[in-house]
Amino acid sequence: MDSIPSSKLSRISVYGVAATKVGYNTLSHKTKKLINSKLNDDKVLEKNSKIIFEALTKLRGTALKMAQLLSLENGLLSAKYIKELEKSTYRVRPLNRAVVRRTIKTELGAYPENIFESFDTEAFAAASLGQVHRAIDKEGNKLAVKIQYPGIDNTLKQDLQMMRLSLNMMSHSKVVIETLDEVEKTLEQEVSYLNEAENIKYYQEKMRKQEVIIPKVFPNYSNDKILTMEYLEGKHLDQWLEQNPSQELKNLVAQKLFDLYVYSFFELKTFQADSNIGNFLFMAESDIAFLDFGCLKTVHENFPKGVVALVKASENDNKDAILDAFISLNFIKSKDEIVVEKFYDSVFMPFAQWTCQPYLKETYSFSKEDDFASSVSNAQQIISREKEFVNYNRDFVYFHRGLYGLYKMFEQMEVTIELRSRLPKIQ
């Protein structure tokens, strides 16, 4: 790929061409189906999925970020679209070599061959905001050089405006729009690789005693648009699963992932809020590496306590305690009789039950058939779609996003792990 469309007109054009192709394919299929009702929808869905993915690949940035979010939302898109959009986490078609060399010259002051002992101009990973190249420095260190797509920061605002218009036409769009509001706040931080370098430093210090590998940053080869880290040998989830790891090993790795999330959320009050499969590497034995620290979320001090309180209150079916938990989570301001009467049975209780479900027993088994992660998404939608429910907690957007991403991974791994015992003071 030579370049990324950066003007508003050129980006609208990409959206328009894709929409026209999808519309034509869909209409043509429906017409043919009038003649032959037995025609399968899968073929046209697969074709449309590839068109959408190709358009998003051209646009990068916010467009691909939303693709990653939507790839988690099974309730919003069909399986064919989900499968294609999952590629957006790390399999996007990279920029060509000339653009890569030019970007490094602009950002670091020299061409890669004059900075590194060796540099692979073909990216081995590419996602929404940047792509990653292997390199070796003159001291022999194996490096992963993450290069931000040129001009990506200039496209964010116009992409967000177009997406809001598009999402308003989707069912349950309020769920995604709430998330989009938070994405907008964090994207400006994500496009600053110096900010990500600081996040990595923070996590290396705070996670020192935890079972996780966090790559070292090389400041001499890094700035706001280029982030150079040590290169880690490992596999992404789908590649790792192709090796047919034992059930025992899958359970062990999943338990580590959940324990790390709990430690980060409850102890640090800061957590990696982008739990897509592209952000983890599965290493030798049961080691796990975190790769992306551009999207960290810090929550209010009372928020983790409110989550535990909600689980305990739901388990005991204690109406008064459930309402207290919703107050501590800032979903409601008080036990207003009108609000309680209108929303308790339709919103508060179902949401609390879904939150509580995986913590009722000592272990919980995730499977593709049960699809618990989607039920968690449904729980958030119950709160979000109530237009009168104005106190939707923005902290929960990222808490949900991070945990939901993990649950989807656990379902893909089909693991059984301990969740209940990991929540503080639940016993």
Side-chain angles (χ1 to χ4, degrees):
M1 185 173 180
D2 296 334
S3 62
I4 299 169
S6 56
S7 71
K8 187 172 184 178
L9 184 61
S10 63
R11 293 180 75 79
I12 290 174
S13 175
V14 173
Y15 279 110
V17 169
T20 300
K21 288 180 178 178
V22 169
Y24 175 80
N25 288 340
T26 303
L27 181 61
S28 176
H29 177 73
K30 286 181 178 178
T31 302
K32 291 175 182 177
K33 207 166 183 179
L34 290 173
I35 302 170
N36 182 2
S37 60
K38 295 181 179 180
L39 275 180
N40 195 303
D41 294 338
D42 285 353
K43 196 170 183 178
V44 70
L45 282 174
E46 187 172 353
K47 187 184 292 186
N48 286 345
S49 299
K50 292 184 183 300
I51 291 169
I52 291 171
F53 180 66
E54 282 300 311
L56 292 170
T57 296
K58 290 178 183 177
L59 293 168
R60 301 296 209 280
T62 319
L64 269 178
K65 273 291 174 187
M66 286 310 299
Q68 291 173 7
L69 291 174
L70 291 172
S71 73
L72 297 176
E73 296 287 353
N74 282 357
L76 294 174
L77 298 173
S78 74
K80 291 288 181 181
Y81 286 96
I82 297 298
K83 184 177 180 181
E84 199 67 27
L85 290 179
E86 281 177 347
K87 296 177 184 177
S88 68
T89 58
Y90 63 95
R91 289 184 178 179
V92 176
R93 184 157 50 92
L95 297 173
N96 71 30
R97 299 179 181 190
V99 176
V100 170
R101 293 185 72 253
R102 191 163 60 243
T103 302
I104 290 182
K105 173 70 163 60
T106 300
E107 296 300 330
L108 298 183
Y111 288 111
E113 61 267 25
N114 297 323
I115 298 173
F116 305 101
E117 185 67 27
S118 67
F119 181 89
D120 189 348
T121 53
E122 184 173 342
F124 71 88
S128 56
L129 301 182
Q131 61 188 46
V132 193
H133 297 256
R134 292 183 182 88
I136 299 176
D137 68 8
K138 298 185 184 302
E139 285 72 44
N141 296 303
K142 293 182 179 180
L143 307 174
V145 183
K146 183 159 72 168
I147 301 172
Q148 189 174 119
Y149 300 129
I152 209 73
D153 48 345
N154 297 325
T155 69
L156 299 182
K157 291 291 183 184
Q158 59 197 42
D159 277 357
L160 287 162
Q161 288 175 355
M162 286 188 285
M163 283 178 197
R164 281 195 169 87
L165 290 173
S166 301
L167 290 170
N168 279 325
M169 296 183 289
M170 293 177 62
S171 60
H172 304 309
S173 64
K174 194 171 187 294
V175 180
V176 187
I177 289 173
E178 290 283 0
T179 305
L180 188 59
D181 290 340
E182 285 301 302
V183 170
E184 184 172 10
K185 291 178 183 179
T186 58
L187 270 174
E188 290 183 1
Q189 296 178 359
E190 286 195 66
V191 296
S192 169
Y193 284 171
L194 289 177
N195 178 71
E196 183 171 353
E198 286 299 312
N199 290 342
I200 292 173
K201 182 179 178 182
Y202 172 82
Y203 256 64
Q204 284 173 331
E205 179 183 339
K206 298 296 184 181
M207 290 280 200
R208 196 175 304 157
K209 296 181 180 179
Q210 306 303 311
E211 293 186 73
V212 63
I213 298 169
I214 298 173
K216 174 185 174 183
V217 173
F218 288 77
N220 291 343
Y221 316 124
S222 301
N223 66 9
D224 213 36
K225 305 300 180 187
I226 292 180
L227 180 61
T228 300
M229 300 167 284
E230 65 176 310
Y231 176 78
L232 299 175
E233 296 280 355
K235 297 183 181 300
H236 290 290
L237 179 60
D238 54 349
Q239 299 165 331
W240 185 71
L241 290 175
E242 286 174 1
Q243 296 182 320
N244 295 317
S246 67
Q247 188 64 53
E248 182 181 13
L249 180 57
K250 288 192 293 184
N251 290 347
L252 176 61
V253 169
Q255 189 69 64
K256 283 186 178 183
L257 283 171
F258 184 73
D259 290 350
L260 287 166
Y261 185 87
V262 167
Y263 173 80
S264 186
F265 178 68
F266 287 102
E267 296 297 325
L268 305 182
K269 311 296 188 298
T270 301
F271 59 97
Q272 188 187 41
D274 193 8
S275 296
N276 70 69
I277 61 174
N279 289 346
F280 303 96
L281 271 188
F282 297 81
M283 318 284 281
E285 303 298 332
S286 62
D287 290 338
I288 305 165
F290 283 4
L291 297 182
D292 194 316
F293 293 86
C295 187
L296 293 190
K297 175 67 177 175
T298 299
V299 295
H300 189 274
E301 177 74 23
N302 291 330
F303 189 79
K305 298 175 185 176
V307 171
V308 174
L310 183 61
V311 170
K312 292 177 71 174
S314 307
E315 182 181 17
N316 299 324
D317 198 17
N318 186 326
K319 181 175 180 179
D320 198 54
I322 287 174
L323 293 173
D324 284 336
F326 274 106
I327 291 173
S328 70
L329 290 169
N330 199 33
F331 282 114
I332 55 177
K333 299 298 182 185
S334 65
K335 297 177 187 178
D336 182 275
E337 288 185 12
I338 297 176
V339 171
V340 172
E341 177 70 24
K342 187 168 185 177
F343 292 113
Y344 186 79
D345 290 333
S346 62
V347 176
F348 299 135
M349 194 58 193
F351 182 86
Q353 288 173 337
W354 265 308
T355 303
C356 178
Q357 184 179 330
Y359 305 97
L360 293 177
K361 298 179 180 179
E362 290 304 317
T363 61
Y364 189 83
S365 295
F366 292 87
S367 73
K368 296 173 185 176
E369 289 74 25
D370 289 343
D371 202 18
F372 172 70
S374 291
S375 72
V376 174
S377 179
N378 292 338
Q380 178 168 328
Q381 289 174 18
I382 282 177
I383 283 186
S384 297
R385 68 183 174 223
E386 295 293 346
K387 293 182 179 180
E388 297 176 54
F389 203 80
V390 294
N391 297 319
Y392 184 69
N393 191 335
R394 295 297 177 85
D395 276 352
F396 197 85
V397 169
Y398 272 103
F399 171 72
H400 163 267
R401 179 180 169 188
L403 195 56
Y404 180 42
L406 282 183
Y407 284 166
K408 293 300 294 182
M409 289 173 64
F410 296 160
E411 285 179 355
Q412 190 174 344
M413 297 165 76
E414 297 189 292
V415 295
T416 299
I417 59 174
E418 293 183 17
L419 280 75
R420 179 183 175 84
S421 63
R422 267 45 183 190
L423 289 189
K425 298 180 182 177
I426 196 171
Q427 299 293 348

